[in-house]
Amino acid sequence: MDTNELWHLLQMQMDTIKKESDSSHHPVLERALEALKETIENYLSEQVTAGLPHPHPRSRIYRSEPKTWEIYESSSHEILDLIKKKAKNAQKKPACVFDLDGTLFDVGYRTLGILNEWLASDAAKHFDKRLLQKIAKLNYNHIGYSLSHAFENSGFDLRNQETMSLFSSVERYWKKKFFDGASLVKYDKIMENADIFVQKLSENNIEIFYLTGRYFHSMAKGTEQQLLNFNFPFDKNKLILKHNPHADDQIFKAEQVRKIAQEYEVVGNFENEYLNIAFMSLEARDAINVIVDSHHSGRQTPALDLPIYRVSRFEF
């Protein structure tokens, strides 16, 4: 039952009560109905929807994915074995390439932390208390690929002018903090067992490259600290970030994989973005190209005649 249906039902019940009561009482009954409606509206405005359990709202049960691709649902154990076998037969030094956000790190916690910071900021003081209470109730299950997904998944109507004004304020703050290089160290958590998985590859003499769309000028230091904090195998020379924030991720990453392949044999390639893996896999056609099934943007993908593996988590 939506709100309009609720109001209609209440009005019908009120009309029935009026027929059974003296007309002198009708104005009082009307005021009571209006007071009841206002109370219900205030209550509903403070509520958030329950959110959706994993897979998240931008995960594959909600998204359009490449229908024509040859995608193999796999376990991390199977992927590990496939990569190790390829590494043993490699003609050059074997290497694995890993994206960070959405692949090794769960950035949903970064968004939640930044939302709480905004609530405590002076900017929040300009907005309706009920809307602020609703933001405070957002939880991990509301988080999607973008900030707008988190709002929509929790029941905010971004077509509403007041809500959109609030969202714009939050988004400005979020963009400043999300890419500042400090918030990722403060809030991000790793995908469970991702560190163990990468360490297993490193122990098998496979070089580990981290290839990310994070911005070098603001996020390099934080990214290095983050990898060290979580004990990932780390060589500063094998951490690649974007120097041009306006470069398309898929082009940037494909170019970097091509450069890596000049010296190494890329035996594994891990991403959470279908568009990125499509471009990167063309530069590493013989690699085990893997999608980590977390949030992704849903950008349109080209046709691809290469097998793609998909894992939902790292299991150990």
Side-chain angles (χ1 to χ4, degrees):
M1 179 187 299
D2 63 21
T3 307
N4 287 331
E5 290 173 322
L6 177 59
W7 298 156
H8 179 66
L9 180 60
L10 287 174
Q11 188 62 60
M12 287 179 61
Q13 292 174 336
M14 178 59 69
D15 290 342
T16 300
I17 294 172
K18 282 181 177 180
K19 291 177 183 178
E20 299 173 353
S21 64
D22 188 284
S23 61
S24 63
H25 297 150
H26 291 182
V28 176
L29 291 173
E30 287 291 348
R31 289 198 298 273
L33 179 60
E34 291 304 314
L36 181 60
K37 284 184 177 181
E38 183 178 357
T39 301
I40 292 173
E41 284 181 331
N42 289 341
Y43 172 77
L44 292 177
S45 70
E46 296 171 4
Q47 303 309 303
V48 298
T49 58
L52 295 162
H54 187 83
H56 300 298
R58 302 312 296 170
S59 194
R60 72 174 181 272
I61 62 172
Y62 295 98
R63 67 183 178 229
S64 58
E65 61 182 18
K67 301 298 183 184
T68 60
W69 286 19
E70 190 177 1
I71 299 176
Y72 296 97
E73 301 292 349
S74 307
S75 71
S76 58
H77 294 291
E78 293 170 332
I79 297 298
L80 184 61
D81 288 342
L82 287 171
I83 292 175
K84 286 162 63 176
K85 288 177 183 177
K86 277 200 172 289
K88 285 182 180 179
N89 298 319
Q91 300 301 306
K92 294 187 286 188
K93 178 71 175 175
C96 261
V97 180
F98 286 90
D99 174 47
L100 296 181
D101 295 340
T103 300
L104 296 181
F105 290 94
D106 189 335
V107 300
Y109 297 100
R110 195 190 313 175
T111 287
L112 286 175
I114 294 169
L115 284 174
N116 286 328
E117 286 185 24
W118 181 86
L119 284 170
S121 72
D122 289 338
K125 297 176 181 177
H126 301 289
F127 296 96
D128 189 289
K129 184 178 180 181
R130 292 196 301 272
L131 292 176
L132 301 181
Q133 290 173 337
K134 194 166 182 175
I135 291 179
K137 293 179 181 178
L138 264 68
N139 61 57
Y140 182 80
N141 288 329
H142 294 117
I143 301 300
Y145 177 78
S146 70
L147 185 64
S148 61
H149 293 139
F151 272 66
E152 290 168 346
N153 293 334
S154 62
F156 280 97
D157 182 1
L158 295 182
R159 298 167 298 180
N160 178 276
Q161 185 174 353
E162 184 181 15
T163 300
M164 196 60 208
S165 177
L166 169 76
F167 175 78
S168 296
S169 176
V170 177
E171 187 178 42
R172 285 193 297 272
Y173 189 90
W174 177 86
K175 285 181 176 179
K176 179 180 178 181
K177 290 287 187 175
F178 196 84
F179 303 106
D180 67 3
S183 295
L184 61 90
V185 177
K186 187 175 181 181
Y187 295 118
D188 284 8
K189 296 183 181 181
I190 60 170
M191 298 294 193
E192 188 175 7
N193 297 319
D195 54 335
I196 300 174
F197 184 86
V198 178
Q199 188 64 51
K200 291 286 185 183
L201 292 172
S202 180
E203 290 170 358
N204 281 271
N205 298 313
I206 299 172
E207 294 293 325
I208 305 299
F209 284 82
Y210 302 105
L211 174 56
T212 174
R214 294 178 180 181
Y215 307 153
F216 178 86
H217 73 281
S218 62
M219 304 178 81
K221 184 177 179 180
T223 300
E224 292 176 16
Q225 187 62 54
Q226 188 182 51
L227 290 166
L228 292 170
N229 287 351
F230 286 103
N231 297 313
F232 281 98
F234 179 65
D235 178 344
K236 188 172 183 177
N237 295 321
K238 294 181 176 64
L239 170 61
I240 306 170
L241 300 93
K242 285 168 68 171
H243 284 264
N244 177 7
H246 303 295
D248 290 334
D249 273 5
Q250 68 272 20
I251 303 298
F252 162 72
K253 290 193 172 186
E255 290 174 347
Q256 297 304 317
V257 170
R258 187 185 309 129
K259 290 179 182 178
I260 294 170
Q262 292 173 359
E263 184 177 350
Y264 298 87
E265 184 166 331
V266 179
V267 294
N269 186 23
F270 291 77
E271 256 287 342
N272 66 302
E273 281 285 347
Y274 285 85
L275 183 59
N276 292 348
I277 204 75
F279 278 71
M280 297 162 73
S281 64
L282 296 176
E283 304 296 337
R285 299 183 71 93
D286 295 326
I288 304 300
N289 291 292
V290 184
I291 278 287
V292 177
D293 191 23
S294 65
H295 303 304
H296 79 99
S297 65
R299 290 177 293 171
Q300 188 172 0
T301 55
L304 192 66
D305 62 356
L306 298 172
I308 300 295
Y309 299 84
R310 182 162 58 198
V311 296
S312 59
R313 58 188 179 279
F314 298 103
E315 299 170 307
F316 283 97

